[in-house]
């Protein structure tokens, strides 16, 4: 079980902090990968599953604590019905196929997002896959599906409003910590490294609150092309970043400031 340390206040120069505890990835570019090969978009999504395996393996090998993968956004429901159906089918197949491998690798699986939007069959599969890996103590693998940062924040706001209505909470007691505690994965550290493949440099409604101080890493590579070398390059880039969390460089490095 990982303690809910929310990033701030650590000495960012220490060796330990040069490795991200939590990596979040927007897995983008499957459709373009398929198009380049004159294949249907779905072939790109299928190819992307292999990259998911590679990244999970790399995180396990490097002792990363949490990996959060953006698989399907709140907005992706607007895609053509056929593509949505095929993506849901792929999700079902992956949940059935991968649990054994996750268990072998001591990986705990969690799904974050609005699961009420899924079919009953998929909801049941999610519950059983999570239960089957709940006792695992290694990497926490979070799949964000039917997830949106705004959805996450809205859910938290609704829960707090309900408590105020019940007379259980005073409005002036609403703090950043309290809001954080009602968001998805409140028990885990915030993302340190935020990767997006596929060339776009935007957040697309992923982990808006939790990524407030994440280091961003963008690559033009399409998700099915993102392999071990590129993963290591992202880790290397992270290790060179000076995380100031609002302080001056001198405060962080311990050098004498000239003010
Ligand atoms: C990301 O790949 C996967 C999902 C959003 C489900 P895309 O399907 O967005 O691929 P591009 O961006 O069209 O290439
Ligand atoms: C973001 O990719 C969502 C996922 C990778 C699941 P999109 O392809 O949906 O993002 P936009 O629409 O280009 O911003
Ligand atoms: Mg895309």
């Amino acid at each position: 079980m990982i303690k809910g340390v929310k990033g701030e206040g650590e000495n960012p120069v220490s060796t330990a902090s040069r490795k991200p505890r939590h990596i979040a990835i927007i897995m983008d570019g499957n459709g373009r990968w398929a198009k380049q090969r004159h294949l249907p978009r779905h072939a790109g999504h299928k190819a992307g599953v292999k990259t998911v395996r590679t990244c999970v393996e790399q995180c396990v090998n490097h002792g990363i604590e949490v990996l959060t993968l953006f698989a399907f956004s709140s907005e992706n429901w607007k895609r053509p019905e056929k593509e949505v159906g095929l993506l849901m089918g792929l999700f079902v197949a992956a949940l059935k196929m991968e649990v054994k491998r996750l268990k072998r690798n001591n990986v705990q699986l969690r799904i974050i997002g609005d699961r009420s939007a899924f079919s009953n069959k998929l909801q049941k599969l999610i519950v059983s896959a999570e239960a089957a890996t709940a006792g695992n103590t290694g990497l926490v693998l979070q799949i964000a599906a039917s997830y949106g940062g705004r959805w996450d924040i809205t859910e938290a706001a609704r829960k707090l409003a309900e408590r105020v209505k019940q007379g259980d909470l005073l409005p002036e007691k609403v703090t950043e910590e309290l809001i954080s505690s009602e968001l998805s994965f409140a028990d885990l550290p915030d993302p340190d490294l935020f990767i997006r493949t596929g060339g776009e440099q935007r957040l697309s409604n992923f982990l808006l609150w939790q990524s407030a101080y994440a280091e961003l890493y963008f690559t033009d590579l399409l998700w099915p092309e993102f392999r071990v070398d590129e993963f290591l390059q992202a880790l290397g880039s992270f290790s060179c970043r000076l995380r100031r969390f609002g302080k001056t460089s001198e405060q962080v490095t311990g050098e004498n400031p000239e003010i």
Side-chain angles (χ1 to χ4, degrees):
M1 176 79 174
I2 297 164
K3 280 189 199 128
V5 178
K6 286 289 179 185
E8 265 179 272
E10 298 164 29
N11 175 3
V13 185
S14 73
T15 330
S17 69
R18 291 195 177 271
K19 184 173 78 178
R21 295 182 66 188
H22 183 168
I23 301 177
I25 310 183
I26 299 186
M27 311 184 285
D28 197 20
N30 293 346
R32 279 163 285 165
W33 182 89
K35 197 172 179 184
Q36 283 173 1
R37 287 159 181 77
H38 308 287
L39 295 168
R41 291 178 57 82
H42 185 57
H45 297 315
K46 263 185 145 169
V49 177
K50 283 192 198 142
T51 313
V52 170
R53 284 193 201 112
T54 305
C55 284
V56 171
E57 225 173 81
Q58 285 303 307
C59 285
V60 169
N61 292 348
H62 286 88
I64 305 298
E65 294 171 40
V66 189
L67 172 65
T68 303
L69 300 174
F70 204 9
F72 191 86
S73 73
S74 315
E75 290 72 29
N76 288 148
W77 289 112
K78 295 181 214 156
R79 291 193 176 193
E81 213 178 303
K82 191 172 168 207
E83 180 166 349
V84 171
L86 288 168
L87 279 166
M88 291 302 137
L90 199 58
F91 193 15
V92 167
L95 281 175
K96 285 183 179 164
M97 290 264 302
E98 301 297 323
V99 168
K100 256 192 206 158
R101 192 193 304 263
L102 296 177
K103 275 173 139 175
R104 232 183 9 247
N105 286 306
N106 196 23
V107 176
Q108 188 190 122
L109 178 71
R110 299 190 192 181
I111 311 300
I112 57 168
D114 179 10
R115 54 179 83 182
S116 70
F118 296 137
S119 67
N120 284 339
K121 179 183 163 194
L122 182 48
Q123 289 189 39
K124 278 187 192 147
L125 259 175
I126 289 172
V127 171
S128 74
E130 285 181 331
T133 62
N136 292 348
T137 54
L139 174 73
V140 177
L141 169 64
Q142 301 196 104
I143 304 294
S146 189
Y147 178 87
R150 288 181 173 179
W151 166 83
D152 206 352
I153 296 166
T154 306
E155 285 299 298
R158 185 178 296 125
K159 285 177 203 154
L160 293 179
E162 193 57 44
R163 283 176 57 187
V164 171
K165 186 178 156 198
Q166 300 300 327
D168 182 36
L169 176 68
L170 291 169
E172 57 267 34
K173 296 283 179 196
V174 175
T175 58
E176 289 188 13
E177 287 71 27
L178 196 64
I179 295 174
S180 292
S181 75
E182 295 292 353
L183 292 167
S184 300
F185 64 91
D187 59 327
L188 301 178
D190 282 339
D192 303 294
L193 174 59
F194 182 117
I195 299 173
R196 181 173 189 145
T197 63
E200 315 293 355
Q201 301 196 352
R202 54 178 173 251
L203 306 181
S204 297
N205 199 15
F206 190 37
L207 304 177
L208 297 180
W209 177 286
Q210 297 92 332
S211 296
Y213 258 105
E215 296 295 327
L216 306 180
Y217 182 90
F218 298 106
T219 167
D220 286 338
L221 285 172
L222 305 171
W223 178 245
E225 301 167 338
F226 186 80
R227 289 294 155 83
V228 179
D229 283 2
E230 284 72 36
F231 181 87
L232 296 179
Q233 211 162 311
L235 280 189
S237 167
F238 178 85
S239 71
C240 300
R241 312 262 182 114
L242 185 64
R243 304 188 78 196
R244 287 188 286 271
F245 295 104
K247 297 179 183 172
T248 66
S249 304
E250 289 82 2
Q251 280 178 300
V252 170
T253 58
E255 288 165 29
N256 274 340
E258 248 180 61
I259 297 171

